[in-house]
Amino acid sequence: MRGAKSAKWVAIAGVVALTATACGGGDDDKGSGKVDPKGIVSYANGEPQNLLQPSNTMEAYGSVVIDALFTGLVHYDKQGNITYENAESVTPDKANKVWTVKLKKGWKFHDNTPVTAKSYVDAWNWAADPANGQQNSAWYRDIVGYDDVHPAKGKAKKKAMSGLKVVDENTFTITLKNGIPYYQYKLVYKPFFPLPAAALKDPKKYGEAPVGNGPYKFSKWDRKKLISVRTWPGYKGEDKPKNGGIDFKAYTKDTAAYADLKSDNVDTMPIVPNSELANFKNDFGDRAIVSDYSALNTVNFAFYQPQWKKTDIKVLQGLSMAIDRDTIAKTVFYGTRESATGWVAKGVKGYQDDACGKFCKFDPKAAKDSIKAGGGVPGNKIQIQYNADQPHKDWVVAVCNSITKATGVKCTGDAVTDFAADTEIRDQKKVKSMYRSGWVLDYPFNGNFLADLYGTGVDGNKGGFSDKKFDKLTAEADKAKTIDDSAELYQKAEKELVNSFPGIPLWYNKTLSAYSNNVKKIEFDQAGDPILSDVEVFEK
């Protein structure tokens, strides 16, 4: 709901976007009718993968709901500077190792219990325990004592990380294993949200009807149909809603959502279908939205499968060179995508152009030669898994055709029903060959697209990639004295990925959406999500 959103797996395929701009110059005076401050905004979403728990949400459909219900310690503005939300301050010592968090007083959860230092510390310790099955647990890995609570093997040796200490009701400290200059940026992400005491007593019940501290309060969850949240009058943050609530409508087909958007039966959607890219500006006029945001699309390898375990790196590089990104961007995406040149999205500190070099440039001869020199693709065929509830089929087919034409390797799409099923297959390490992936920033720093996705054993690393040299370089980056020094060292780590190729960079994203006649205006943020708390609804 605020200027940018937490990192997540994005369900859609797709410079910091200062604001989303409506084509045709916008129309702030549209609909001279009165605004209803209790009006409900509707958003075309999908069914979340898991229960609505902040530390167990790493995908788009659940993320947008969690962000409506919770407010974290910090966020950041359009220039990438830290802003304080539930925190009064987050201050490091000289070594960037011990961080002191002071909370703003008077904040409460939706059940009217106070938000305290203990609300954060208890929530993080609970989520770190492997017995609680939270998929974002590795986000606490920097904290002293994490290895005791979440050992590499076996059950937890302790219930609490020794690096977390409650000082008083509104103060706690975080002691890290090593100093990290940009650590406060990590605190933006959902695993660092607080939980009320009741959530830890009955996590399943809580996940079905979460109690947060954010601008909206949970109302109901009609599975695979609708999640409703309503404005909470006790909210202490600055981003108080300008409407009465949000209905997150679950769609299984983007074309159905688009039809409802045209008919004013839903107020906005994540991205228009590929089939409508040529038409949506004409369909919506000044209500059409085109904006950049910090996200990257890739095709990643399931390294746990025999096909890739011992395959020569030249084969992976060859597959990348066999993809005609520019032509696919022009034809399938009507020029609304930009070919990626590395593993970090635009608009974040440390972004560098051409980190992938020649391996992200279309070169059919070099591609075929490289695959041959590497011993060929095992079985001479690959599959790309994707979720069928979003517009992926066309570009997957185009990528496969490009690979097959250039190299002779048979490539087919592997469609699964929806995004929840797609992410579940990844979590269970059952991807057959390769999978389409999209990642949107958690915080505006290149390390978020590198260590948080390709570090050995981290939660975001769904393909089982592991490279000791890369891990060493990211560890050195985390030990830097300043954020700028750390970003520079992460650039070195990114360039090292050409020698291990965890995934094939494809395109940088753009938000392509629109809004209905029911609302005054909708803008999308740097994370590609609508800023729903700012939406004003017209009286009916």
Side-chain angles (χ1 to χ4, degrees):
M1 303 302 124
R2 300 160 286 281
K5 224 177 78 54
S6 300
K8 61 184 181 297
W9 293 115
V10 286
I12 54 179
V15 179
V16 175
L18 297 184
T19 60
T21 56
C23 299
D27 187 1
D28 289 346
D29 297 323
K30 177 183 68 62
S32 56
K34 295 181 180 179
V35 168
D36 179 6
K38 295 182 179 180
I40 305 302
V41 183
S42 58
Y43 177 64
N45 204 39
E47 182 72 1
Q49 178 192 11
N50 299 314
L51 296 178
L52 294 172
Q53 299 163 320
S55 54
N56 205 30
T57 301
M58 195 191 289
E59 43 77 31
Y61 297 150
S63 292
V64 69
V65 180
I66 292 291
D67 278 353
L69 298 172
F70 289 85
T71 294
L73 295 167
V74 296
H75 217 72
Y76 49 89
D77 60 23
K78 295 166 185 175
Q79 289 72 45
N81 301 312
I82 283 291
T83 59
Y84 293 106
E85 297 202 327
N86 194 189
E88 186 70 43
S89 63
V90 180
T91 310
D93 63 3
K94 290 182 179 181
N96 297 314
K97 190 173 182 180
V98 180
W99 294 74
T100 300
V101 179
K102 291 186 178 296
L103 302 179
K104 293 176 181 176
K105 297 179 180 179
W107 279 58
K108 292 184 177 182
F109 290 105
H110 301 150
D111 60 3
N112 285 315
T113 58
V115 179
T116 66
K118 196 172 185 295
S119 306
Y120 284 92
V121 170
D122 286 355
W124 301 2
N125 281 322
W126 176 84
D129 188 337
N132 296 319
Q134 301 295 286
Q135 65 173 336
N136 286 327
S137 58
W139 280 83
Y140 314 113
R141 66 188 182 276
D142 304 310
I143 301 173
V144 171
Y146 171 76
D147 296 330
D148 291 328
V149 176
H150 195 116
K153 294 181 180 179
K155 297 180 179 179
K157 298 175 183 177
K158 295 183 179 179
K159 288 294 183 181
M161 290 177 276
S162 57
L164 293 179
K165 299 291 184 184
V166 174
V167 177
D168 58 40
E169 186 176 19
N170 294 301
T171 309
F172 67 99
T173 58
I174 309 167
T175 301
L176 306 179
K177 298 172 184 175
N178 300 290
I180 299 177
Y182 62 91
Y183 189 72
Q184 62 188 154
Y185 280 99
K186 288 195 173 190
L187 299 179
V188 173
Y189 196 28
K190 278 172 284 298
F192 298 105
F193 289 170
L195 293 177
L200 305 184
K201 294 177 181 177
D202 193 342
K204 184 178 184 296
K205 179 181 178 181
Y206 170 85
E208 293 172 342
V211 175
N213 66 329
Y216 294 96
K217 181 178 181 178
F218 177 83
S219 178
K220 68 175 181 178
W221 185 355
D222 189 356
R223 292 302 181 98
K224 296 187 177 182
K225 293 182 180 179
L226 178 77
I227 296 176
S228 294
V229 300
R230 295 295 179 258
T231 298
W232 186 51
Y235 182 58
K236 296 291 185 179
E238 294 182 4
D239 56 322
K240 290 181 172 61
K242 297 178 181 178
N243 50 64
I246 309 164
D247 283 345
F248 297 97
K249 295 184 176 182
Y251 288 86
T252 57
K253 294 190 177 186
D254 58 332
T255 50
Y258 188 80
D260 273 1
L261 182 56
K262 285 178 65 177
S263 302
D264 294 329
N265 292 321
V266 71
D267 293 323
T268 193
M269 63 186 301
I271 194 168
V272 299
N274 289 344
S275 59
E276 301 296 341
L277 289 178
N279 308 315
F280 84 103
K281 291 182 182 180
N282 289 330
D283 286 344
F284 292 95
D286 61 2
R287 291 182 289 115
I289 297 170
V290 179
S291 67
D292 295 324
Y293 74 105
S294 297
L296 174 70
N297 288 279
T298 61
V299 172
N300 287 8
F301 302 92
F303 286 101
Y304 48 81
Q305 292 292 4
Q307 182 177 35
W308 305 119
K309 278 186 177 180
K310 295 182 179 180
T311 301
D312 193 291
I313 186 64
K314 294 184 181 68
V315 174
L316 312 187
Q317 294 167 338
L319 290 172
S320 179
M321 290 188 286
I323 300 172
D324 190 351
R325 296 166 179 78
D326 290 346
T327 297
I328 295 171
K330 290 176 183 177
T331 55
V332 176
F333 294 117
Y334 292 87
T336 60
R337 296 288 185 276
E338 181 181 352
S339 297
T341 61
W343 288 269
V344 174
K346 286 190 169 184
V348 302
K349 182 179 285 293
Y351 165 79
Q352 57 185 335
D353 191 26
D354 209 28
C356 185
K358 65 181 181 181
F359 301 117
C360 282
K361 293 179 173 63
F362 180 54
D363 189 334
K365 185 179 185 306
K368 188 172 184 178
D369 291 346
S370 184
I371 290 174
K372 183 178 180 180
V377 173
N380 201 43
K381 62 181 180 180
I382 57 176
Q383 292 176 293
I384 300 175
Q385 178 178 302
Y386 67 93
N387 50 300
D389 61 337
Q390 289 292 339
H392 296 303
K393 181 179 179 180
D394 291 346
W395 71 259
V396 169
V397 169
V399 165
C400 277
N401 288 343
S402 184
I403 290 173
T404 300
K405 184 177 180 180
T407 68
V409 175
K410 184 179 179 181
C411 177
T412 56
D414 180 17
V416 296
T417 53
D418 54 30
F419 191 43
D422 179 33
T423 50
E424 191 64 27
I425 292 170
R426 298 188 219 173
D427 288 348
Q428 294 178 4
K429 297 191 181 302
K430 292 183 178 180
V431 174
K432 299 169 187 173
S433 176
M434 304 169 71
Y435 60 95
R436 77 98 210 154
S437 182
W439 187 258
V440 62
L441 89 170
D442 161 30
Y443 45 91
F445 186 74
N446 58 351
N448 181 227
F449 287 83
L450 298 170
D452 293 336
L453 282 183
Y454 300 123
T456 299
V458 300
D459 295 324
N461 186 350
K462 299 300 183 183
F465 173 77
S466 181
D467 181 68
K468 291 181 179 179
K469 188 171 183 180
F470 175 76
D471 288 341
K472 182 179 179 181
L473 289 170
T474 59
E476 290 174 357
D478 282 349
K479 294 175 184 177
K481 295 296 183 184
T482 69
I483 293 177
D484 288 340
D485 289 344
S486 184
E488 187 174 336
L489 289 170
Y490 264 113
Q491 288 178 331
K492 290 178 61 178
E494 183 186 10
K495 288 181 178 179
E496 174 59 28
L497 289 179
V498 298
N499 299 314
S500 51
F501 244 83
I504 299 174
L506 294 177
W507 300 283
Y508 302 119
N509 288 44
K510 284 183 181 291
T511 294
L512 304 167
S513 188
Y515 56 92
S516 75
N517 285 303
N518 302 326
V519 298
K520 192 172 183 181
K521 189 176 182 180
I522 290 181
E523 294 183 344
F524 281 66
D525 63 25
Q526 184 181 350
D529 289 317
I531 307 173
L532 296 174
S533 59
D534 280 351
V535 179
E536 295 178 279
V537 182
F538 290 119
E539 286 185 352
K540 294 183 179 179

